[in-house]
Amino acid sequence: MVSTLIDGPIIKTKYVQYPKRYFPNLFDSNIVFLYILFPLSCVIYNQFTYKMKPIKTFFSVFLFSVPMALLENILEKYTKLVEFRKGWNGYYTVAVLSATFWFVRLFIAGIRFKDKKRKPADTPKKEFNKVDFY
């Protein structure tokens, strides 16, 4: 997953830490965000921007990344779920989330483009005849 590729080095270098997390012996990150919330928001972003022009998709990413960064800042300030260190702040979070959303969007656009170029003969068709039913 893209988010683990980006989140991993940030956590390993201790810019962001998650003191309270599920399965602390197995995971350094918040698995609820990393494996449920972020992938789900990537899917929603891709569906939201599916028919948009590129310039709109560029700016609409902030509708997703800024609220997530604000929530992370609130959690960092008022709870012990997230800790920022070494100068990390919400601006870096917005930048990382936005870049990740754009990367995933570009990847999905490539898959959609490749799928449209595929010929109908490339898809396997099941032909039914009387022999198949006996």
Side-chain angles (χ1 to χ4, degrees):
M1 291 174 95
V2 174
S3 56
T4 55
L5 292 174
I6 294 173
D7 198 33
I10 292 170
I11 292 170
K12 293 291 183 200
T13 54
K14 298 187 181 190
Y15 282 100
V16 178
Q17 288 190 322
Y18 302 99
K20 306 276 184 185
R21 60 189 184 276
Y22 295 111
F23 308 112
N25 295 335
L26 299 174
F27 298 97
D28 292 333
S29 64
N30 184 330
I31 60 172
V32 173
F33 174 77
L34 198 61
Y35 295 108
I36 298 172
L37 297 178
F38 185 72
L40 187 61
S41 61
C42 276
V43 169
I44 294 169
Y45 171 71
N46 275 286
Q47 291 299 319
F48 179 72
T49 61
Y50 176 54
K51 299 283 184 180
M52 285 186 184
K53 299 211 183 279
I55 192 73
K56 281 188 174 183
T57 62
F58 179 80
F59 289 110
S60 65
V61 75
F62 298 111
L63 294 173
F64 291 85
S65 60
V66 170
M68 292 170 80
L70 288 173
L71 180 62
E72 188 178 49
N73 280 342
I74 291 169
L75 291 174
E76 196 268 337
K77 188 173 183 179
Y78 296 109
T79 70
K80 295 193 184 290
L81 296 175
V82 181
E83 286 182 9
F84 293 159
R85 295 184 173 180
K86 299 182 181 182
W88 189 270
N89 58 41
Y91 296 114
Y92 292 117
T93 301
V94 169
V96 168
L97 288 174
S98 297
T100 308
F101 278 124
W102 288 323
F103 179 77
V104 171
R105 174 77 168 86
L106 186 63
F107 184 75
I108 296 297
I111 291 173
R112 287 177 177 153
F113 177 76
K114 184 81 169 156
D115 190 48
K116 282 183 182 179
K117 281 183 63 174
R118 197 170 71 171
K119 298 175 195 168
D122 291 347
T123 58
K125 292 183 181 179
K126 175 85 171 144
E127 292 186 24
F128 293 99
N129 56 29
K130 292 180 183 178
V131 177
D132 289 330
F133 294 109
Y134 294 120

